[in-house]
Amino acid sequence: MKKLAERNPEKLIDLLLERRTFERTAVKLYDRVLSLMSASEDAQILGMLDTMQAYRDEEAEHQEWLEEQIRALGGDVNGESARSRLAATEARGIEQVILREDMELPHLFHALMAAELVDNAGWDLLTALAEEADDDEALDAFLLRQAEEEDHLEYLRETMSRYAESQVLGGALQLPTEP
């Protein structure tokens, strides 16, 4: 991350704080969805629990890793920036959907998918910056997390696709169990 931080470490910390804010929110979103999934009596929903728990744990790891990077650059992991406040505001709408008591699981999966789209875009930006700075160490770290986020997104896309097929075309719902 040294090459990436050479020119403007404060701006890099700002970007990392933004990612950290969104990852922190993602952990809360997954926790809520997991609690509702665990209460389900639907075997297909229960069959998704391990995958969704693994994704939640990856989000928590991303948050912890980002905090380590922010500290290493001299930043305050509890600090805020304009970008992190923006990320919190953006996430608040998704959070409101997921925290509502009357939401059905398909709607919660949809909201999670929206969060993962934003998450993917954030890691994509960091990856592009690391490439431009020729920072192979940062690039490898970002690519690893970006690939995990892409897996989350693809799984949620598949889930939403299967719900849509069942609702629009009829037939039995077949939710994914493995990514």
Side-chain angles (χ1 to χ4, degrees), residues 10-93:
E10 296 81 22
K11 291 296 183 183
L12 178 58
I13 291 169
D14 193 30
L15 282 172
L16 297 176
L17 283 168
E18 174 190 30
R19 272 300 81 231
R20 185 274 339 253
T21 298
F22 214 85
E23 296 295 335
R24 185 180 287 170
T25 300
V27 170
K28 288 193 296 188
L29 299 178
Y30 272 94
D31 283 345
R32 169 73 173 143
V33 172
L34 282 164
S35 72
L36 294 173
M37 289 175 69
S38 296
S40 175
E41 295 179 9
D42 184 327
Q44 289 190 81
I45 296 294
L46 295 173
M48 296 172 66
L49 275 173
D50 288 345
T51 298
M52 295 293 284
Q53 181 65 52
Y55 292 164
R56 182 259 180 230
D57 294 346
E58 286 175 353
E59 299 290 354
E61 186 280 328
H62 297 173
Q63 176 189 334
E64 292 168 14
W65 181 83
L66 285 160
E67 289 173 354
E68 288 173 18
Q69 303 314 303
I70 292 165
R71 277 189 212 95
L73 293 169
D76 177 7
V77 296
N78 295 312
E80 283 192 350
S81 67
R83 293 185 76 94
S84 68
R85 283 189 296 277
L86 175 62
T89 301
E90 290 171 340
R92 209 170 358 260

Side-chain angles (χ1 to χ4, degrees), residues 15 18 83 120-131 142 146:
L15 282 172
E18 174 190 30
R83 293 185 76 94
N120 271 264
W123 287 105
D124 188 53
L125 173 62
L126 289 171
T127 299
L129 290 170
E131 283 178 334
F142 293 152
Q146 183 180 21

Side-chain angles (χ1 to χ4, degrees), residues 86-145:
L86 175 62
T89 301
E90 290 171 340
R92 209 170 358 260
I94 296 169
E95 205 171 356
Q96 286 176 347
V97 170
I98 289 184
L99 296 178
R100 282 184 50 178
E101 294 296 322
D102 62 341
M103 295 308 275
E104 297 176 14
L105 275 173
H107 299 139
L108 299 179
F109 292 135
H110 185 273
L112 266 180
M113 186 174 68
E116 290 292 0
L117 283 166
V118 173
D119 218 359
N120 271 264
W123 287 105
D124 188 53
L125 173 62
L126 289 171
T127 299
L129 290 170
E131 283 178 334
E132 187 66 30
D134 200 28
D135 189 332
D136 292 338
E137 182 181 327
L139 180 61
D140 289 345
F142 293 152
L143 283 171
L144 170 68
R145 286 155 185 88

